[in-house]
Structure formats: C-alpha cells, structure tokens
Amino acid sequence: MKLEPEQIKILFRKVLKGTATADESEQLLNYLEQERHDMDDLLLPYGEWAGTEDNRLPEGVRERILTSVLKQTPVTGEGLDKTRAGRTIKMSYWLSRVAVVFVLILAGWGLFRKQSKPGNKTWIVFAAAKGERRTMMLPDSSKVLLNAGSQVAFQTDFAGNERCVKLTGEAYFEVKHDPRKPFIVLSDLVRTTVLGTAFNVKAYPEDKSIDITVINGKVKVAQTGKDEKQLTPVILTKGMHVGYQTRDTLFRVSKVDAAAMVGWKDNKLVFEEATLEEICNTLARNYNVKFTTTTPVVWQHKYSLTFDQLTLDESLDQLRLLGALTFQRKDSIVVLRDKH
C-alpha cells in the first residue's frame, strides 16, 4: 500500500516519540527502503537539524530513530526458543536491513543546507534541482511544492510576528491559517502576504516577470523597496493572477484558469502566447537540459500549447508540429534552428 506524505510524517513522529507499534515501525522501514529515491523533507526534525554544520542529520537523531524502531519490533524469547536457528538468522537479516536503510537514508539526507543571513539569523534553504520537484512541510505545517530549479529559505521556528519565506524559482503553497501571524513570500522585487490560502509564485531570475496566481483564498501583492514609482499593492482572490513586469515595473492583473497555471504540479505545462524562449526555459528546468540556437530571432516566436505529462523528446516532437523549427539533441544540449 502506498503511503501518503501525511501518513509518513505521522509514522516518523510516532517512531521518534516511541509510541509506534511494531507494525507501524515495520511499515515505515519498508517505505524508506522501497522509496528512498523519492524522500521529501517534511519528516525532518527542524530544530535538531538546524544546529548542524553540514547536510547530514546529527548523529544523535539518527541513532535515536534507529534505536526507537528496533525497540518497537521485539522478538520474544518463546519465539526464539521454538525456531532459534531460523529466527535468529531472520532477525539478524532484518536488523542488518534496518541498519543499511537508515545509513543510506538518514546519513545521506542532503536536501537542506544551513545559511547565515544578515542579523545573525539562521535560515534553512530547501532546494529542488533541475529535473526534479520536491515537497516539504514548513515548521507551521504549511505545505510547499517546489518546481524544478527552485529554492525556498525559512527560519526553523518562524520567530517574530511573521512567517517569512524567501523564494527563488517557482513554488505552490498551501498555507495554514493563522490570522495572528501573516505568511509572507519574498520573491526578488515582490512581497506576497497571505493569512491562509493556496497560491503559486513563479519568480525565476531568467524570466522577465514575477507571477502570482491564487487558487483559493486571498493574497496581497506589493512591490518591495522604496522606489519613486512605488506601485499600489493589489489584492488577488480565487482565480486571479498578477504579473509583475520587471522591465516596465508594472502589475498586470487578470482572471485566469488557475488550475492550468499550476498544472506543473502534475507534470502538465500550459503556455498561452508564450515566447519560444519562455517555453524553452521551462523545459530546460523541468528536464535538466540546455537550449541554444544559431538563429536567435526564433526566441521571440510565440505559441499557445500544452505539454501533458510528456517526456522531453515528446515535447520537442510537439514543438516540431508547429512548423518552422528543427531540433538536434546531443546528451543534455538541444540546438534549435529556424527552417527558413
């Protein structure tokens, strides 16, 4: 049975607290062994991890988890007496398997890093590399899904009267409601403030705009800094989108198909009158490749299309159908040309 992230988190915490049953401990171990390639960090004990100097969980945490699991899977003396040789071998194998799993999983958990910021504040940076997506739970139980080539930074305990995160790239947020402590997303020149909602922020450095889309609830989007042309903040509700044009310093508000705007969560990429450069930048992040061209004019060609759970090659084939373009791929480099 496939475990949902919330179930995994609950099992993990029960093991740490020593309240998990033997079956629950075995269930968690089986999951870690089978799914270790796709672990996310909503399980990490933030406070204890934050004191480390590298990307590894502290020894004390690893040992405590392992000890807790082993204690909660006892072997009775009666059972050993009945099949001593076979049971001993079986348990010895099981204990070895447990040890290997936790060495591989916990000792190698490197999705976070600690980063010092001005004011001697410690921030945790969570990142998704190009070609992957990552899900995590923030200290207040708000959920973040990071798109490829993105990172989010936050303080371990959300100290102060705000819950502030700093985003580079794109992320989908499901924020836990707390009217006493606003949730703030800082993305370069834009500050997005919410009380409790689901919304998407796209703020890649190479893009020409910062885009915020509201799925549910309400957010306020404001320009940061004290520019002479400071823009009036805009309020967005369900189904609304704002694009902050970094070149023109403008907010452009519109009604959109919000589900399509966050389709990337399900590997569905939707483009409306997007330039080829914007499309290729997105594909490059999602598939960890680099696009180049010998005819730069093609970057400004505009297209409206959808890539629905396609591989890179399938996406390129769909672009070819639009005509006037050829693609040549070698390893992680894709060269495109204008046919004319």
Side-chain angles (χ1 to χ4, degrees), residues 21-64:
T21 65
D23 287 342
E24 288 172 333
S25 300
E26 176 74 4
Q27 192 177 18
L28 177 61
L29 285 170
N30 286 336
Y31 175 82
L32 292 174
E33 185 178 37
Q34 296 167 12
E35 306 290 338
R36 58 178 176 265
H37 62 282
D38 192 32
M39 292 301 296
D40 56 48
D41 290 81
L42 48 80
L43 311 177
L44 280 173
Y46 301 103
E48 295 177 67
W49 181 89
T52 63
E53 295 297 333
D54 54 24
N55 287 338
R56 297 164 63 92
L57 281 174
E59 287 293 333
V61 176
R62 295 202 305 275
E63 292 172 1
R64 180 155 55 88

Short mmCIF file of all heavy atoms in Angstrom, two decimals, residues 21-64:
data_model
loop_
_atom_site.label_atom_id
_atom_site.label_comp_id
_atom_site.label_asym_id
_atom_site.label_seq_id
_atom_site.Cartn_x
_atom_site.Cartn_y
_atom_site.Cartn_z
N THR A 21 3.69 1.26 17.04
CA THR A 21 3.61 -0.18 17.25
C THR A 21 4.67 -0.87 16.39
O THR A 21 5.29 -0.25 15.51
CB THR A 21 2.22 -0.70 16.86
OG1 THR A 21 2.05 -0.52 15.44
CG2 THR A 21 1.13 0.03 17.63
N ALA A 22 4.85 -2.17 16.62
CA ALA A 22 5.81 -2.93 15.81
C ALA A 22 5.42 -2.89 14.35
O ALA A 22 6.27 -2.75 13.46
CB ALA A 22 5.89 -4.37 16.32
N ASP A 23 4.10 -3.03 14.07
CA ASP A 23 3.64 -3.00 12.68
C ASP A 23 3.92 -1.64 12.03
O ASP A 23 4.31 -1.55 10.86
CB ASP A 23 2.15 -3.30 12.60
CG ASP A 23 1.84 -4.77 12.87
OD1 ASP A 23 2.78 -5.58 12.77
OD2 ASP A 23 0.68 -5.09 13.18
N GLU A 24 3.71 -0.57 12.79
CA GLU A 24 3.94 0.78 12.25
C GLU A 24 5.43 1.00 11.98
O GLU A 24 5.80 1.62 10.98
CB GLU A 24 3.40 1.82 13.23
CG GLU A 24 1.89 1.87 13.26
CD GLU A 24 1.36 2.76 14.36
OE1 GLU A 24 2.05 2.93 15.40
OE2 GLU A 24 0.24 3.30 14.20
N SER A 25 6.27 0.50 12.88
CA SER A 25 7.72 0.64 12.66
C SER A 25 8.15 -0.11 11.41
O SER A 25 8.93 0.40 10.60
CB SER A 25 8.48 0.10 13.88
OG SER A 25 8.13 0.80 15.04
N GLU A 26 7.63 -1.33 11.26
CA GLU A 26 7.96 -2.11 10.07
C GLU A 26 7.44 -1.44 8.81
O GLU A 26 8.10 -1.42 7.77
CB GLU A 26 7.36 -3.52 10.20
CG GLU A 26 7.55 -4.42 8.98
CD GLU A 26 8.98 -4.94 8.85
OE1 GLU A 26 9.80 -4.65 9.73
OE2 GLU A 26 9.26 -5.62 7.85
N GLN A 27 6.26 -0.83 8.90
CA GLN A 27 5.66 -0.14 7.76
C GLN A 27 6.54 1.03 7.31
O GLN A 27 6.79 1.23 6.12
CB GLN A 27 4.27 0.36 8.15
CG GLN A 27 3.44 0.85 6.97
CD GLN A 27 2.05 1.26 7.40
OE1 GLN A 27 1.79 1.51 8.58
NE2 GLN A 27 1.13 1.35 6.46
N LEU A 28 7.04 1.78 8.28
CA LEU A 28 7.91 2.90 7.95
C LEU A 28 9.21 2.43 7.33
O LEU A 28 9.68 2.98 6.34
CB LEU A 28 8.19 3.74 9.20
CG LEU A 28 9.14 4.93 9.00
CD1 LEU A 28 8.57 5.91 8.00
CD2 LEU A 28 9.41 5.62 10.33
N LEU A 29 9.79 1.39 7.90
CA LEU A 29 11.04 0.86 7.36
C LEU A 29 10.88 0.36 5.94
O LEU A 29 11.72 0.60 5.07
CB LEU A 29 11.57 -0.27 8.26
CG LEU A 29 12.18 0.19 9.58
CD1 LEU A 29 12.44 -1.00 10.47
CD2 LEU A 29 13.46 0.96 9.34
N ASN A 30 9.78 -0.35 5.69
CA ASN A 30 9.53 -0.84 4.33
C ASN A 30 9.41 0.32 3.35
O ASN A 30 9.93 0.26 2.24
CB ASN A 30 8.25 -1.68 4.30
CG ASN A 30 8.45 -3.04 4.94
OD1 ASN A 30 9.58 -3.55 5.00
ND2 ASN A 30 7.37 -3.64 5.43
N TYR A 31 8.73 1.39 3.78
CA TYR A 31 8.59 2.54 2.90
C TYR A 31 9.95 3.18 2.62
O TYR A 31 10.28 3.49 1.48
CB TYR A 31 7.66 3.58 3.53
CG TYR A 31 7.60 4.85 2.70
CD1 TYR A 31 6.78 4.93 1.59
CD2 TYR A 31 8.42 5.94 2.99
CE1 TYR A 31 6.73 6.05 0.80
CE2 TYR A 31 8.39 7.07 2.21
CZ TYR A 31 7.54 7.12 1.12
OH TYR A 31 7.54 8.24 0.35
N LEU A 32 10.75 3.38 3.68
CA LEU A 32 12.05 4.01 3.50
C LEU A 32 12.93 3.18 2.58
O LEU A 32 13.66 3.72 1.74
CB LEU A 32 12.74 4.18 4.85
CG LEU A 32 12.12 5.20 5.81
CD1 LEU A 32 12.81 5.16 7.14
CD2 LEU A 32 12.15 6.58 5.22
N GLU A 33 12.84 1.87 2.69
CA GLU A 33 13.68 1.01 1.86
C GLU A 33 13.24 1.04 0.41
O GLU A 33 14.05 1.09 -0.50
CB GLU A 33 13.63 -0.42 2.39
CG GLU A 33 14.58 -1.36 1.63
CD GLU A 33 14.55 -2.75 2.21
OE1 GLU A 33 13.46 -3.21 2.61
OE2 GLU A 33 15.61 -3.39 2.26
N GLN A 34 11.92 1.06 0.17
CA GLN A 34 11.40 1.00 -1.18
C GLN A 34 11.39 2.34 -1.88
O GLN A 34 11.53 2.42 -3.09
CB GLN A 34 9.98 0.43 -1.16
CG GLN A 34 9.91 -1.00 -0.68
CD GLN A 34 8.49 -1.43 -0.37
OE1 GLN A 34 7.54 -0.74 -0.71
NE2 GLN A 34 8.33 -2.57 0.29
N GLU A 35 11.22 3.43 -1.12
CA GLU A 35 11.02 4.74 -1.72
C GLU A 35 12.13 5.72 -1.39
O GLU A 35 11.95 6.92 -1.51
CB GLU A 35 9.68 5.34 -1.23
CG GLU A 35 8.49 4.44 -1.47
CD GLU A 35 8.16 4.32 -2.94
OE1 GLU A 35 8.56 5.22 -3.71
OE2 GLU A 35 7.52 3.33 -3.32
N ARG A 36 13.29 5.25 -1.03
CA ARG A 36 14.32 6.17 -0.58
C ARG A 36 14.78 7.13 -1.66
O ARG A 36 15.32 8.19 -1.39
CB ARG A 36 15.52 5.42 -0.02
CG ARG A 36 16.19 4.45 -1.01
CD ARG A 36 17.40 3.80 -0.33
NE ARG A 36 18.02 2.80 -1.15
CZ ARG A 36 17.74 1.50 -1.06
NH1 ARG A 36 16.83 1.08 -0.20
NH2 ARG A 36 18.34 0.64 -1.82
N HIS A 37 14.56 6.79 -2.93
CA HIS A 37 14.96 7.69 -4.02
C HIS A 37 14.07 8.91 -4.11
O HIS A 37 14.40 9.87 -4.79
CB HIS A 37 14.91 6.93 -5.34
CG HIS A 37 13.54 6.44 -5.69
ND1 HIS A 37 12.99 5.32 -5.11
CD2 HIS A 37 12.60 6.94 -6.53
CE1 HIS A 37 11.78 5.13 -5.60
NE2 HIS A 37 11.51 6.10 -6.45
N ASP A 38 12.90 8.88 -3.42
CA ASP A 38 11.95 9.97 -3.58
C ASP A 38 11.54 10.56 -2.23
O ASP A 38 10.41 10.99 -2.05
CB ASP A 38 10.71 9.45 -4.32
CG ASP A 38 9.82 10.59 -4.78
OD1 ASP A 38 10.35 11.67 -5.10
OD2 ASP A 38 8.60 10.40 -4.80
N MET A 39 12.44 10.56 -1.26
CA MET A 39 12.10 11.09 0.05
C MET A 39 11.97 12.60 -0.01
O MET A 39 12.68 13.27 -0.73
CB MET A 39 13.20 10.73 1.06
CG MET A 39 13.28 9.24 1.37
SD MET A 39 11.73 8.62 2.05
CE MET A 39 11.68 9.56 3.56
N ASP A 40 11.03 13.16 0.75
CA ASP A 40 10.96 14.60 0.90
C ASP A 40 11.20 14.93 2.36
O ASP A 40 11.26 14.06 3.21
CB ASP A 40 9.64 15.18 0.40
CG ASP A 40 8.44 14.54 1.09
OD1 ASP A 40 8.49 14.45 2.32
OD2 ASP A 40 7.49 14.18 0.38
N ASP A 41 11.35 16.22 2.64
CA ASP A 41 11.87 16.64 3.93
C ASP A 41 10.81 17.06 4.93
O ASP A 41 11.11 17.66 5.95
CB ASP A 41 12.86 17.79 3.75
CG ASP A 41 14.12 17.27 3.09
OD1 ASP A 41 14.10 17.13 1.86
OD2 ASP A 41 15.08 16.98 3.80
N LEU A 42 9.55 16.71 4.68
CA LEU A 42 8.54 17.05 5.65
C LEU A 42 8.67 16.18 6.89
O LEU A 42 7.92 16.33 7.84
CB LEU A 42 7.14 16.94 5.04
CG LEU A 42 6.76 15.69 4.26
CD1 LEU A 42 6.40 14.55 5.17
CD2 LEU A 42 5.61 16.01 3.33
N LEU A 43 9.64 15.25 6.90
CA LEU A 43 9.83 14.39 8.06
C LEU A 43 10.91 14.90 8.99
O LEU A 43 11.05 14.42 10.10
CB LEU A 43 10.25 12.98 7.59
CG LEU A 43 9.39 12.35 6.50
CD1 LEU A 43 9.99 11.01 6.12
CD2 LEU A 43 7.98 12.17 6.98
N LEU A 44 11.71 15.84 8.54
CA LEU A 44 12.89 16.21 9.32
C LEU A 44 12.56 16.97 10.61
O LEU A 44 11.70 17.84 10.60
CB LEU A 44 13.82 17.10 8.47
CG LEU A 44 14.69 16.36 7.47
CD1 LEU A 44 15.41 17.35 6.59
CD2 LEU A 44 15.69 15.47 8.17
N PRO A 45 13.25 16.66 11.71
CA PRO A 45 13.10 17.43 12.95
C PRO A 45 13.89 18.72 12.84
O PRO A 45 15.08 18.77 13.10
CB PRO A 45 13.69 16.49 14.02
CG PRO A 45 14.68 15.65 13.27
CD PRO A 45 14.15 15.50 11.87
N TYR A 46 13.25 19.81 12.44
CA TYR A 46 13.94 21.05 12.09
C TYR A 46 14.86 21.56 13.19
O TYR A 46 16.00 21.92 12.95
CB TYR A 46 12.90 22.15 11.78
CG TYR A 46 11.98 21.81 10.66
CD1 TYR A 46 10.69 21.41 10.93
CD2 TYR A 46 12.40 21.89 9.34
CE1 TYR A 46 9.81 21.09 9.90
CE2 TYR A 46 11.53 21.58 8.32
CZ TYR A 46 10.24 21.18 8.60
OH TYR A 46 9.39 20.86 7.59
N GLY A 47 14.32 21.63 14.41
CA GLY A 47 15.10 22.24 15.48
C GLY A 47 16.43 21.55 15.71
O GLY A 47 17.46 22.20 15.91
N GLU A 48 16.44 20.22 15.68
CA GLU A 48 17.68 19.50 15.92
C GLU A 48 18.61 19.57 14.71
O GLU A 48 19.82 19.63 14.84
CB GLU A 48 17.35 18.05 16.27
CG GLU A 48 16.58 17.93 17.57
CD GLU A 48 16.21 16.49 17.87
OE1 GLU A 48 17.13 15.70 18.13
OE2 GLU A 48 15.02 16.17 17.83
N TRP A 49 18.00 19.54 13.52
CA TRP A 49 18.84 19.60 12.32
C TRP A 49 19.52 20.96 12.19
O TRP A 49 20.65 21.06 11.73
CB TRP A 49 17.99 19.36 11.07
CG TRP A 49 18.83 19.38 9.83
CD1 TRP A 49 19.48 18.35 9.25
CD2 TRP A 49 19.15 20.54 9.06
NE1 TRP A 49 20.17 18.78 8.16
CE2 TRP A 49 19.99 20.12 8.01
CE3 TRP A 49 18.80 21.88 9.13
CZ2 TRP A 49 20.48 20.98 7.05
CZ3 TRP A 49 19.29 22.75 8.18
CH2 TRP A 49 20.11 22.29 7.16
N ALA A 50 18.84 22.02 12.60
CA ALA A 50 19.34 23.38 12.36
C ALA A 50 20.69 23.63 13.02
O ALA A 50 21.43 24.52 12.61
CB ALA A 50 18.33 24.40 12.87
N GLY A 51 21.02 22.85 14.02
CA GLY A 51 22.30 23.08 14.71
C GLY A 51 23.49 22.44 14.03
O GLY A 51 24.61 22.58 14.49
N THR A 52 23.29 21.74 12.93
CA THR A 52 24.39 21.06 12.28
C THR A 52 25.12 21.99 11.32
O THR A 52 24.60 23.00 10.90
CB THR A 52 23.90 19.83 11.51
OG1 THR A 52 23.01 20.27 10.48
CG2 THR A 52 23.16 18.87 12.43
N GLU A 53 26.30 21.60 10.94
CA GLU A 53 27.14 22.44 10.07
C GLU A 53 27.20 21.90 8.65
O GLU A 53 27.89 22.44 7.82
CB GLU A 53 28.57 22.52 10.63
CG GLU A 53 28.64 23.23 11.98
CD GLU A 53 28.21 24.69 11.88
OE1 GLU A 53 28.36 25.28 10.81
OE2 GLU A 53 27.71 25.22 12.89
N ASP A 54 26.53 20.79 8.38
CA ASP A 54 26.59 20.23 7.02
C ASP A 54 25.21 19.74 6.63
O ASP A 54 24.22 20.10 7.22
CB ASP A 54 27.64 19.10 6.92
CG ASP A 54 27.39 18.03 7.97
OD1 ASP A 54 26.23 17.90 8.43
OD2 ASP A 54 28.34 17.32 8.33
N ASN A 55 25.15 18.90 5.61
CA ASN A 55 23.87 18.45 5.09
C ASN A 55 23.38 17.16 5.73
O ASN A 55 22.41 16.57 5.28
CB ASN A 55 23.97 18.21 3.57
CG ASN A 55 24.04 19.51 2.82
OD1 ASN A 55 23.61 20.55 3.32
ND2 ASN A 55 24.60 19.48 1.63
N ARG A 56 24.04 16.69 6.78
CA ARG A 56 23.68 15.42 7.39
C ARG A 56 22.84 15.65 8.64
O ARG A 56 23.00 16.63 9.34
CB ARG A 56 24.94 14.65 7.78
CG ARG A 56 25.81 14.27 6.60
CD ARG A 56 27.19 13.87 7.09
NE ARG A 56 27.13 12.71 7.94
CZ ARG A 56 27.27 11.45 7.50
NH1 ARG A 56 27.45 11.22 6.22
NH2 ARG A 56 27.25 10.43 8.34
N LEU A 57 21.95 14.72 8.88
CA LEU A 57 21.26 14.75 10.16
C LEU A 57 22.25 14.48 11.27
O LEU A 57 23.18 13.68 11.10
CB LEU A 57 20.16 13.69 10.20
CG LEU A 57 18.86 14.02 9.47
CD1 LEU A 57 17.96 12.79 9.49
CD2 LEU A 57 18.17 15.18 10.10
N PRO A 58 22.12 15.11 12.43
CA PRO A 58 23.05 14.88 13.53
C PRO A 58 23.02 13.42 13.98
O PRO A 58 22.00 12.76 13.92
CB PRO A 58 22.55 15.82 14.63
CG PRO A 58 21.14 16.12 14.26
CD PRO A 58 21.08 16.08 12.77
N GLU A 59 24.17 12.93 14.45
CA GLU A 59 24.30 11.55 14.86
C GLU A 59 23.24 11.17 15.89
O GLU A 59 22.66 10.10 15.84
CB GLU A 59 25.70 11.31 15.45
CG GLU A 59 26.81 11.28 14.41
CD GLU A 59 26.68 10.07 13.49
OE1 GLU A 59 26.11 9.04 13.91
OE2 GLU A 59 27.11 10.16 12.34
N GLY A 60 22.99 12.04 16.86
CA GLY A 60 22.03 11.72 17.90
C GLY A 60 20.65 11.42 17.36
O GLY A 60 19.96 10.52 17.85
N VAL A 61 20.23 12.17 16.33
CA VAL A 61 18.91 11.96 15.75
C VAL A 61 18.86 10.63 15.02
O VAL A 61 17.92 9.84 15.17
CB VAL A 61 18.54 13.10 14.78
CG1 VAL A 61 17.21 12.82 14.10
CG2 VAL A 61 18.47 14.41 15.53
N ARG A 62 19.88 10.33 14.23
CA ARG A 62 19.90 9.06 13.50
C ARG A 62 19.87 7.88 14.46
O ARG A 62 19.13 6.91 14.27
CB ARG A 62 21.16 8.99 12.62
CG ARG A 62 21.18 10.03 11.52
CD ARG A 62 22.10 9.62 10.38
NE ARG A 62 23.45 9.33 10.81
CZ ARG A 62 24.39 10.25 10.97
NH1 ARG A 62 24.11 11.53 10.76
NH2 ARG A 62 25.61 9.92 11.34
N GLU A 63 20.69 7.96 15.51
CA GLU A 63 20.75 6.86 16.46
C GLU A 63 19.43 6.70 17.21
O GLU A 63 18.98 5.59 17.48
CB GLU A 63 21.89 7.10 17.46
CG GLU A 63 23.27 7.00 16.81
CD GLU A 63 24.37 7.43 17.77
OE1 GLU A 63 24.04 7.78 18.92
OE2 GLU A 63 25.54 7.41 17.37
N ARG A 64 18.79 7.82 17.55
CA ARG A 64 17.54 7.74 18.30
C ARG A 64 16.44 7.12 17.45
O ARG A 64 15.63 6.33 17.94
CB ARG A 64 17.13 9.14 18.75
CG ARG A 64 15.84 9.18 19.54
CD ARG A 64 15.79 10.39 20.45
NE ARG A 64 16.00 11.63 19.73
CZ ARG A 64 15.01 12.32 19.17
NH1 ARG A 64 13.77 11.88 19.27
NH2 ARG A 64 15.24 13.45 18.54
#
